[in-house]
Amino acid sequence: MSSKKVAIIGSGNWGSAIARIIGSTTKSNPNIFDSNVSMWVHEEIIDGKKLSEIINTTHENVKYLPGKKLPENIFAVTDVVETCKDADILVFVIPHQFVTRVSNLLKGKIKQDSIAISLIKGLSTSKSDGIKLVSTEIKEILNIDVAVLMGANLAPEVANDNYCEATIGIRKKQENGAMLKKLFHTNNFRINVVEDIEATELCGALKNIVACAAGFSDGLGYGDNTKAAIIRLGMMEIIRFVNQYYPGAHLSTFFESCGLADLVTTCYGGRNRRVCEAYVKFMDTKSLAEIEKEILKGQSAQGPLTAEEVVELLKKSDSQSKYPLFVAVNKICKKELKPQDLINELRNHPEHM
Amino acid sequence: MSSKKVAIIGSGNWGSAIARIIGSTTKSNPNIFDSNVSMWVHEEIIDGKKLSEIINTTHENVKYLPGKKLPENIFAVTDVVETCKDADILVFVIPHQFVTRVSNLLKGKIKQDSIAISLIKGLSTSKSDGIKLVSTEIKEILNIDVAVLMGANLAPEVANDNYCEATIGIRKKQENGAMLKKLFHTNNFRINVVEDIEATELCGALKNIVACAAGFSDGLGYGDNTKAAIIRLGMMEIIRFVNQYYPGAHLSTFFESCGLADLVTTCYGGRNRRVCEAYVKFMDTKSLAEIEKEILKGQSAQGPLTAEEVVELLKKSDSQSKYPLFVAVNKICKKELKPQDLINELRNHPEHM
């Protein structure tokens, strides 16, 4: 079996952090992987120089991961088709709003037996009758197998080689599970593989709705007990949602890094929590969009958007009453409900029946 | 069926907070409960007056829950046998080190068909070949059915009527589940009943070991990803421990307030976390006991003690290698391992195999 060639599609903060890992694992497993890894870089000019050339000469992504060296077997390529043309494994790590466009660029130009793995949190922005997972979008366009990697993985800490875990969700472990684990598993980035793609991926998107509720609770000063109840009820709605729309997930998957760990981190430290905490304090004078802009300085909080998409889907099957937390977050973000009324909405939660 | 008489054994901070709830639920369910509730008070003299008399005249536990009214149907009684003699439901809410003594005082003096519910977190301190649950200790001495109530329930917040959840673990739901739920369930204290006594109770004890590891991580400045991994791996060891020593628990129980919610709250806000964070910084000059004394001002951190008891039990079946987090916490508390080596111990966690 010839060694597999890997292409990394994306080179932002998370993409560069993961390139450090992939550069190292491909090099230390030469009989599994080709150690030459190409990484797609959207060209930019930094202080008069091309970013791709800076990366290929200094081995540092000075714009998105300054101060950290990329392994020398990572090669920046500015054309995404060129990046992927010989690849056996496509690692998607771009902002979710670019997935459809980039996948269409690659259509018909990649190896037919290649596989993809998506590290993208959030739902696809392509129009569909309901919501669409990023992995589904890639699969539909490229007609290849798509796995996902999710977990409590703040990029700067991963780049700093802090110990953490991640979850790979895959259709069948025995097919590519061991190989994909080898591609990401290092001393400080510990991988579990589960046969639950949708559950793994949905945890990464839905947790942001829960983090909004946690932020409202923090903004209102409700304390630790209430916040713990919100996180737990949010987890139960995530599980319920997965079971309703993608039945067959294992309950144990929600105890993986993609589930429990990522949810907790997001509800204590994440940006959705921060924006929603501030929203409670300033909602009389500012819109959610204004607060987001001020606090996140250009980054976006996906929780309010995900809540809107999820609630639209719930309405189609008249399921809102089973998801009081998701529905309340959506209403509060649209100013149809006061944050102070969140708890009232949770009081008759189906979990307490 | 005559209405059930309730006795509350204990009147500390948590006992008084729960008396506010029980006073209210017994009064609003007169055909289920006798609204006269007796509460055992260990007599003390406060500013020249007896605490029991202060409670019975001003309806305030000025020592342990100042500023909050107790319902007028809660009566302080200073003799524990007198408190319980006609009771159908005994609510145990005393520090765990008093359980054996108090249960022995009650032996033979209570109604034979009474039941108990323990709100006590931690393991029994009575000597046994291994560890003993508080509920088991009560059951063995009094020979009555014992349920447990656990959850993310910081007493001051419960006393403040902040919204929260709790879990009742019981042998068979259909026997007393509905009645016990009625005794505790209010608008702001939301109860789930599960048929898992040991899992419910063990979560409340074992979480403190995990909180120690979270504290070490905080003290070392390891960041959010690592802390999330520690909390998750700790949860997996809790589940593994319950399955090994008390097989038959439902995985879903660990998603209840007693599991996920209480663990998270304890790892972010609890006293074990605080003590262990400080221990990392001052361990060269101070013992754990000294740090505990300084920080907790008389209260105790049960994590180190529980870790010691749990590891003793693991040794008997040579199971230490399956619980690297529990074992590492125990070793660090005894200065047999540096906090800096915690992560190294977790690197080959059985969860990553």
Side-chain angles (χ1 to χ4, degrees):
Chain A
M1 204 173 70
S2 66
S3 55
K4 306 279 184 189
K5 193 154 167 39
V6 182
I8 302 172
I9 305 169
S11 51
N13 191 226
W14 184 209
S16 301
I18 216 69
R20 282 169 51 86
I21 289 175
I22 289 176
S24 137
T25 55
T26 49
K27 210 169 170 182
S28 51
N29 291 290
N31 41 3
I32 305 176
F33 304 112
D34 184 332
S35 70
N36 289 327
V37 175
S38 49
M39 174 173 81
W40 178 47
V41 173
H42 184 76
E43 192 67 285
E44 300 181 48
I45 304 300
I46 312 286
D47 294 335
K49 285 184 188 160
K50 289 181 175 173
L51 179 58
S52 62
E53 285 177 12
I54 297 172
I55 292 174
N56 285 335
T57 50
T58 68
H59 306 289
E60 184 181 334
N61 186 336
V62 291
K63 174 135 188 204
Y64 296 103
L65 191 60
K68 293 283 170 192
K69 285 283 169 196
L70 297 174
E72 301 198 359
N73 54 327
I74 300 287
F75 298 96
V77 180
T78 58
D79 181 292
V80 70
V81 172
E82 179 71 20
T83 309
C84 301
K85 70 172 199 264
D86 303 320
D88 303 289
I89 305 169
L90 308 174
V91 179
F92 277 82
V93 55
I94 46 179
H96 70 139
Q97 62 269 31
F98 301 139
V99 168
T100 307
R101 182 142 49 99
V102 168
S103 299
N104 277 319
L105 285 173
L106 292 173
K107 193 174 178 171
K109 313 269 174 65
I110 55 169
K111 285 172 86 167
Q112 281 193 336
D113 59 351
S114 62
I115 59 169
I117 181 164
S118 165
L119 278 60
I120 301 163
K121 286 181 186 172
L123 298 169
S124 166
T125 50
S126 92
K127 287 280 170 230
S128 74
D129 190 35
I131 61 173
K132 193 186 269 185
L133 301 181
V134 167
S135 66
T136 308
E137 177 75 351
I138 297 171
K139 190 181 171 66
E140 284 179 3
I141 297 175
L142 296 179
N143 194 26
I144 56 176
D145 266 351
V146 185
V148 297
L149 182 148
M150 304 280 148
N153 305 135
L154 297 172
E157 296 184 9
V158 173
N160 206 30
D161 296 326
N162 287 13
Y163 177 87
C164 69
E165 300 184 294
T167 313
I168 290 180
I170 191 168
R171 193 73 53 202
K172 287 216 181 298
K173 258 192 194 185
Q174 64 193 55
E175 281 174 14
N176 294 305
M179 181 184 66
L180 286 175
K181 180 164 182 166
K182 279 243 185 311
L183 185 58
F184 293 98
H185 197 62
T186 70
N187 265 343
N188 290 313
F189 196 69
R190 310 299 288 170
I191 302 290
N192 269 3
V193 181
V194 299
E195 289 185 341
D196 261 337
I197 299 183
E198 291 87 0
T200 303
E201 191 169 0
L202 274 166
C203 283
L206 299 175
K207 62 162 193 179
N208 289 326
I209 310 179
V210 186
C212 288
F216 298 143
S217 179
D218 284 347
L220 292 160
Y222 282 167
D224 292 330
N225 294 356
T226 305
K227 185 163 176 178
I230 284 173
I231 292 173
R232 190 192 88 79
L233 290 171
M235 175 60 99
M236 299 319 284
E237 292 193 17
I238 291 175
I239 295 172
R240 188 183 287 261
F241 186 90
V242 171
N243 285 337
Q244 180 170 348
Y245 293 97
Y246 299 89
H250 306 283
L251 189 56
S252 57
T253 295
F254 301 95
F255 279 118
E256 294 293 339
S257 182
C258 64
L260 166 63
D262 197 14
L263 177 66
V264 165
T265 306
T266 308
C267 288
Y268 280 89
R271 59 174 98 137
N272 287 280
R273 192 209 65 79
R274 258 194 302 150
V275 167
C276 288
E277 181 183 34
Y279 183 54
V280 170
K281 295 177 178 160
F282 304 109
M283 68 183 295
D284 290 340
T285 53
K286 293 178 190 175
S287 72
L288 185 61
E290 287 171 321
I291 291 167
E292 193 177 327
K293 207 170 168 184
E294 274 178 34
I295 290 191
L296 301 184
K297 299 177 180 31
Q299 287 192 295
S300 65
Q302 291 182 9
L305 194 67
T306 306
E308 174 74 13
E309 291 168 347
V310 162
V311 171
E312 279 307 306
L313 181 62
L314 296 178
K315 283 179 182 166
K316 287 182 186 153
S317 57
D318 212 9
S319 303
Q320 298 104 298
S321 64
K322 289 187 273 173
Y323 301 86
L325 187 144
F326 289 174
V327 171
V329 167
N330 181 233
K331 283 187 182 166
I332 293 170
C333 291
K334 296 198 289 184
K335 301 204 178 186
E336 292 170 13
L337 186 75
K338 288 183 187 153
Q340 289 80 353
D341 292 329
L342 169 65
I343 296 305
N344 211 27
E345 300 295 309
L346 299 185
R347 210 157 257 135
N348 291 309
H349 201 285
E351 285 298 316
H352 300 150
M353 298 302 148
Chain B
M1 201 174 70
S2 65
S3 56
K4 305 279 186 190
K5 191 152 169 39
V6 182
I8 303 173
I9 304 169
S11 50
N13 192 227
W14 184 211
S16 301
I18 216 70
R20 284 169 50 84
I21 289 175
I22 290 178
S24 139
T25 55
T26 50
K27 209 167 171 183
S28 51
N29 291 290
N31 41 4
I32 306 176
F33 304 112
D34 184 331
S35 71
N36 289 327
V37 175
S38 47
M39 174 174 81
W40 178 48
V41 173
H42 184 76
E43 192 68 287
E44 300 182 47
I45 303 300
I46 311 287
D47 293 336
K49 286 183 188 161
K50 288 179 175 174
L51 179 58
S52 62
E53 286 175 12
I54 298 172
I55 292 175
N56 286 335
T57 50
T58 69
H59 306 289
E60 185 181 332
N61 187 336
V62 291
K63 172 128 191 210
Y64 295 103
L65 193 60
K68 292 285 169 191
K69 285 283 169 197
L70 297 174
E72 301 198 358
N73 54 327
I74 300 287
F75 298 96
V77 180
T78 57
D79 181 293
V80 70
V81 172
E82 177 72 21
T83 309
C84 300
K85 69 172 199 265
D86 302 321
D88 303 289
I89 305 170
L90 309 174
V91 179
F92 277 82
V93 55
I94 46 178
H96 70 139
Q97 62 270 30
F98 301 138
V99 167
T100 306
R101 182 141 49 99
V102 168
S103 298
N104 277 318
L105 284 174
L106 292 173
K107 193 173 178 172
K109 312 271 174 62
I110 54 169
K111 284 171 86 166
Q112 283 194 337
D113 60 349
S114 63
I115 60 168
I117 181 163
S118 165
L119 277 60
I120 301 162
K121 286 181 185 171
L123 298 169
S124 165
T125 50
S126 92
K127 286 281 168 226
S128 74
D129 189 35
I131 61 173
K132 193 186 269 184
L133 301 180
V134 167
S135 66
T136 307
E137 177 74 352
I138 297 171
K139 190 181 170 65
E140 285 180 2
I141 297 175
L142 296 180
N143 195 27
I144 56 177
D145 266 353
V146 184
V148 298
L149 182 148
M150 304 281 147
N153 304 136
L154 297 171
E157 297 184 10
V158 173
N160 206 30
D161 295 327
N162 287 13
Y163 177 87
C164 69
E165 300 184 293
T167 313
I168 289 179
I170 190 169
R171 193 72 53 199
K172 285 214 181 300
K173 257 192 194 183
Q174 62 193 56
E175 281 174 15
N176 293 304
M179 180 183 68
L180 286 175
K181 181 165 181 164
K182 278 241 186 311
L183 185 59
F184 293 98
H185 197 63
T186 70
N187 264 343
N188 290 314
F189 196 69
R190 311 299 289 171
I191 302 290
N192 269 4
V193 182
V194 299
E195 289 184 341
D196 261 335
I197 298 184
E198 291 86 0
T200 303
E201 190 169 0
L202 274 166
C203 283
L206 299 176
K207 62 163 192 175
N208 289 326
I209 310 179
V210 186
C212 289
F216 298 142
S217 179
D218 284 348
L220 292 161
Y222 282 166
D224 293 330
N225 294 356
T226 304
K227 185 163 174 177
I230 284 173
I231 293 174
R232 189 191 89 78
L233 290 171
M235 175 60 100
M236 299 321 284
E237 292 193 17
I238 292 174
I239 295 173
R240 187 183 288 260
F241 186 90
V242 171
N243 285 337
Q244 180 170 347
Y245 293 98
Y246 299 88
H250 307 284
L251 189 57
S252 56
T253 295
F254 302 96
F255 280 117
E256 294 292 339
S257 182
C258 64
L260 167 63
D262 197 14
L263 177 66
V264 165
T265 305
T266 307
C267 287
Y268 280 89
R271 60 174 98 136
N272 286 281
R273 192 209 65 79
R274 257 194 304 147
V275 167
C276 288
E277 182 183 35
Y279 183 55
V280 170
K281 294 175 179 160
F282 303 109
M283 68 183 294
D284 290 339
T285 53
K286 292 178 190 174
S287 72
L288 185 62
E290 285 170 323
I291 291 167
E292 192 177 329
K293 206 169 170 185
E294 274 178 34
I295 292 190
L296 301 185
K297 298 177 180 31
Q299 287 192 295
S300 66
Q302 292 181 9
L305 194 68
T306 306
E308 173 75 14
E309 292 169 346
V310 162
V311 170
E312 280 307 306
L313 181 63
L314 296 178
K315 283 180 182 167
K316 287 182 188 157
S317 57
D318 211 10
S319 302
Q320 299 104 297
S321 65
K322 289 187 273 173
Y323 300 87
L325 187 144
F326 289 174
V327 171
V329 167
N330 181 233
K331 283 187 182 165
I332 294 169
C333 291
K334 295 198 288 184
K335 301 204 180 185
E336 292 170 13
L337 187 75
K338 288 183 189 155
Q340 289 81 351
D341 292 330
L342 169 65
I343 296 305
N344 212 27
E345 300 295 309
L346 300 185
R347 211 159 257 135
N348 291 310
H349 201 286
E351 285 299 316
H352 301 149
M353 296 304 148

